[in-house]
Amino acid sequence: MKPREPLRIAVVGTGRMGADHVRRIDRVVNGARVTAVVDVDAERAKSVAAGVDGCTAHTDPAAAMASADVDAVLVASPGPAHEAALLAAFEHDLPVLCEKPLTPDAASALRVLEAEQALGHRRVQVGFMRRYDAEYVRLKALLDSGRLGRPLMLHNRHRNVASPPFFTSAMLISDSVAHEVDATRWLLGHEISAVTVLRPTPSSGAPEGLRDPQFVLLETDGGAISDVEIFVNCGFGYQVQAEAVCERGTARIGDGHALVTHTAGHWGGTITQDWTERFAQAYDDEVQAWVDSTRRGEVDGPSTWDGYAAAAVCEAGVRALEEGGRVEVDLVEKPPLYR
Ligand code: ISE
């Protein structure tokens, strides 16, 4: 591929995130186009492909990747399908942007980690989009500057309007808190060493049987603590907030105070309703960064190691949720490729 030619991307999975990424690459991102889409639902793949010039529809990721007009792959299928798609991409040595989670459990994430090492070079950027969000980026720069001293604690709040019908109590951790797991590791530069999950009486607004909300306590190997309130049926809006408490001050993001109105005896603003709205710019910047680095022949951003570490922490979190108590996280030694 010559750098001036657009990157030709196969998008695997055309559900909510996949279809949004197809639109983004087609209309927003520079230097790339979607040449193939893949979905187990052939009709859905065809209808998404029909909206993009020169795009073919497939039901098998490996077949799409074998095609001559694919330079890179964006994986946005459900988590359990990621391992097969990643291994197929490695067979063709194609660069991949893989939506989170890398895979749903630590054992499969480790297999992907080992397969990438066997290639001998990094190929994967994991889609932890908060690392591209302007507020998170500012918080990270402030913490890294040392102006506030050493970070001692992070307080995180993660609220969704309503959970989809397939959502389980474990998914509050593996699908939602996965973001705070990555944000904590990235912001602090520590690994998470243990997880405890507290379970208040579920909200009457949550579907029958769903443990919602939950309070998750993450301990790090650098001696910091990060707590997460996860509440996926809060009903009123999509909120993601973080406050760092440091030795000489605190810093807080996610209050959404961009526009405040005063009218008719009230003051206030609006609350975003889902992550595609709250993190729209972060997704645009994430995909653009991936396209740019791929066209330079480089791999940047959250790595397979980050995806594996998040999967291992979430697995410990799910055990803590189900069995109670504090569960230690068991990570393999970090391979040289990711140091
Ligand atoms: C969803 O999969 C996401 O990734 C969203 O960012 C998160 O807020 C939501 O809870 C998850 O289910």
Side-chain angles (χ1 to χ4, degrees):
M1 180 196 37
K2 295 190 208 107
R4 257 179 288 115
E5 286 171 1
L7 188 72
R8 297 166 302 177
I9 299 173
V11 176
V12 178
T14 57
R16 181 174 185 178
M17 278 319 300
D20 197 37
H21 283 316
V22 169
R23 175 201 57 79
R24 174 169 291 111
I25 295 164
D26 195 38
R27 315 237 177 102
V28 182
V29 167
N30 292 314
R33 62 193 184 91
V34 181
T35 49
V37 293
V38 186
D39 204 292
V40 282
D41 179 342
E43 288 314 309
R44 188 158 70 182
K46 272 190 213 150
S47 97
V48 172
V52 181
D53 269 358
C55 178
T56 53
H58 306 256
T59 51
D60 174 19
M65 291 179 210
S67 116
D69 65 352
V70 169
D71 307 311
V73 185
L74 193 158
V75 176
S77 46
H82 287 187
E83 181 181 2
L86 286 162
L87 297 181
F90 292 167
E91 261 177 42
H92 298 279
D93 204 10
L94 292 171
V96 189
L97 173 58
C98 180
E99 263 300 341
K100 50 71 48 181
L102 178 70
T103 66
D105 57 83
S108 53
L110 192 55
R111 288 195 290 272
V112 173
L113 192 77
E114 280 162 1
E116 190 175 43
Q117 286 173 82
L119 278 182
H121 45 245
R122 278 187 56 193
R123 269 305 187 209
V124 181
Q125 175 179 327
V126 181
F128 285 122
M129 80 298 191
R130 290 191 191 173
R131 296 192 188 200
Y132 298 85
D133 174 66
E135 291 186 67
Y136 271 93
V137 168
R138 285 183 71 187
L139 178 60
K140 166 86 174 144
L142 178 61
L143 297 181
D144 285 353
S145 77
R147 266 181 49 213
L148 301 186
R150 187 166 52 86
L152 307 168
M153 290 182 280
L154 281 177
H155 303 303
N156 305 278
R157 279 179 289 274
H158 184 167
R159 301 182 182 130
N160 291 197
V161 176
S163 56
F166 56 82
F167 225 65
T168 62
S169 299
M171 286 175 82
L172 269 78
I173 294 180
S174 59
D175 207 58
S176 304
V177 175
H179 285 293
E180 279 75 22
V181 166
D182 183 64
T184 297
R185 296 179 61 255
W186 176 65
L187 288 171
L188 302 181
H190 302 168
E191 289 298 353
I192 292 164
S193 48
V195 191
T196 307
V197 179
L198 303 179
R199 311 170 307 175
T201 303
S203 163
S204 58
E208 184 69 33
L210 194 72
R211 301 292 328 200
D212 183 32
Q214 297 173 19
F215 187 82
V216 180
L217 193 62
L218 306 169
E219 294 170 54
T220 79
D221 63 1
I225 282 179
S226 176
D227 60 74
V228 188
E229 172 210 303
I230 178 69
F231 186 12
V232 297
N233 289 277
C234 79
F236 61 83
Y238 184 76
Q239 279 186 329
V240 170
Q241 300 169 333
E243 181 181 36
V245 178
C246 307
E247 291 169 311
R248 290 192 295 279
T250 68
R252 177 172 163 140
I253 57 170
D255 288 309
H257 288 165
L259 179 71
V260 178
T261 55
H262 293 75
T263 180
H266 292 274
W267 67 269
T270 54
I271 308 177
T272 54
Q273 292 299 298
D274 72 8
W275 57 92
T276 56
E277 186 189 357
R278 162 66 179 86
F279 287 109
Q281 188 63 50
Y283 282 119
D284 289 352
D285 292 348
E286 171 196 60
V287 178
Q288 186 68 65
W290 174 63
V291 166
D292 292 347
S293 58
T294 303
R295 293 177 84 212
R296 289 194 306 270
E298 294 166 12
V299 182
D300 236 340
S303 68
T304 305
W305 173 260
D306 295 313
Y308 159 72
V313 173
C314 290
E315 197 170 287
V318 172
R319 259 189 60 208
L321 166 72
E322 287 167 356
E323 296 167 15
R326 174 180 180 273
V327 176
E328 294 196 353
V329 180
D330 189 21
L331 291 180
V332 298
E333 200 185 323
K334 193 172 188 176
L337 188 59
Y338 308 100
R339 282 182 206 151

